[in-house]
Amino acid sequence: MTLRSPAPFVVASAFIAIAAAGCSSGSHQAQVAALPTSAASGGSPSASASAGAPASASASASAPASSRPRERLDESTSQLEALDAPWNKCLAAHGANGKVSGKGTSGMSAAVVPPSVEAAAEAACANLKPLPPWQYDPANPQAMGFVQQVVACLHQHGVKYAQVQNPPGQGQIEIALGGPQNDQASISEGLQLIPTCDQQVLRENASNSTSS
């Protein structure tokens, strides 16, 4: 399952994209079977977590300036929903009413949208689509190392099946939970622990940076 944010965000045998999210929000990405990102976002068999703009203690390089909004690892579910709102509103205005972001948009209609309409809406609203947390953004040269540290943290906390999804998913690096066995314990524990591990790795990297 793959997750998007906190979220990143943040799927089981398959992956859920989450990425991943903040400590409290779970905006990471975790792939549990093929789910979009955010610890807050649910997923099926494998979950993936993505991380957005750096949190206050981020050890990664600062995210470059962008006209697009960017998720943060320390955002709550309500903050992520507010961040996604302009993008979802724009998509709906262009006829893609069933299109929602990977995390924090539960409860929206899942109406089928013709591919041509969806593509046109995505293009028209691209400048409003939130970027993943900087720690999970492939544009960040330190992101892969960060996510690998998060996976190591999950293993240290007893999550048996967790790995970095390769290649990256929906514009972000994701974490796959559950393995080929679709291990439910790894999925549920991983989704709960990704926000904690995000913050732990941020603190450790910040501490190492200060001491070096």
Side-chain angles (χ1 to χ4, degrees), residues 87 90-96 113-127:
W87 179 49
C90 178
L91 290 171
H94 286 80
V113 178
S116 59
V117 173
E118 182 175 342
E122 288 276 2
C125 303
N127 65 318

Side-chain angles (χ1 to χ4, degrees), residues 125-137:
C125 303
N127 65 318
L128 296 174
K129 183 177 182 179
L131 290 163
W134 183 234
Q135 292 84 357
Y136 283 81
D137 192 332

Side-chain angles (χ1 to χ4, degrees), residues 175-187:
I175 295 171
L177 301 175
Q181 302 86 347
N182 193 23
D183 183 69
Q184 294 301 307
S186 293
I187 294 170

Side-chain angles (χ1 to χ4, degrees), residues 47-171:
S48 81
S50 68
S56 56
S58 173
S60 300
S62 296
S66 172
S67 59
R68 288 170 59 185
R70 184 181 286 279
E71 297 169 8
R72 294 175 56 94
L73 291 180
D74 55 359
E75 287 179 309
S76 66
T77 299
S78 60
Q79 288 174 319
L80 291 170
E81 289 177 345
L83 191 69
D84 286 337
W87 179 49
N88 284 312
K89 183 176 180 180
C90 178
L91 290 171
H94 286 80
N97 297 306
K99 184 71 176 179
V100 296
S101 66
K103 69 184 161 190
T105 51
S106 59
M108 293 188 67
S109 169
V112 175
V113 178
S116 59
V117 173
E118 182 175 342
E122 288 276 2
C125 303
N127 65 318
L128 296 174
K129 183 177 182 179
L131 290 163
W134 183 234
Q135 292 84 357
Y136 283 81
D137 192 332
N140 176 6
Q142 298 180 18
M144 183 59 72
F146 178 89
V147 181
Q148 289 171 339
Q149 287 178 281
V150 172
V151 168
C153 172
L154 292 173
H155 290 159
Q156 291 167 4
H157 282 81
V159 178
K160 188 172 183 180
Y161 298 103
Q163 65 185 62
V164 178
Q165 181 184 1
N166 193 16
Q170 303 293 318

